Amino acid sequence: MGGRIAAVRDEFLIHLIRGQGYVVTDARGKYLTEPSAFRPQVDRVRAQMQAELMATRKVGARACMCCRKSFESEGIHNRLCL
């Protein structure tokens, strides 16, 4: 229970649209960027969007409310290391 690290999930994904290029989408599949033929460029945009979101969620190490061990939290809502 106490020693596991909670995985922080990505809220933004990259999808290939045939004949158009790569786009960043949200978890529901909504396109958030214009198509680009350059995957590395789209990956940088996705990483930046993810980092900005995580900064607002205050992601980071927290002490578990149950066992007091440190774990990587997804945000202020995530208080148990389960």
Side-chain angles (χ1 to χ4, degrees):
M1 245 194 232
R4 295 188 326 204
I5 296 176
V8 177
R9 67 173 178 247
D10 289 335
E11 298 291 332
F12 304 105
L13 306 168
I14 296 176
H15 289 281
L16 175 62
I17 303 172
R18 281 200 157 158
Q20 295 183 30
Y22 297 96
V23 296
V24 177
T25 66
D26 62 11
R28 294 180 182 162
K30 179 182 175 187
Y31 296 169
L32 302 175
T33 62
E34 294 294 320
S36 171
F38 302 103
R39 170 74 189 245
Q41 177 184 357
V42 175
D43 194 43
R44 282 191 299 275
V45 170
R46 186 211 58 81
Q48 180 180 359
M49 293 170 79
Q50 186 70 32
E52 290 171 1
L53 178 65
M54 291 303 163
T56 63
R57 289 188 175 175
K58 299 183 180 170
V59 173
R62 296 190 187 281
C64 175
M65 289 177 65
C66 184
C67 68
R68 305 303 303 163
K69 291 183 182 177
S70 182
F71 74 103
E72 284 297 313
S73 170
E74 291 183 10
I76 60 173
H77 67 282
N78 185 208
R79 300 291 182 153
L80 299 174
C81 66
L82 304 174

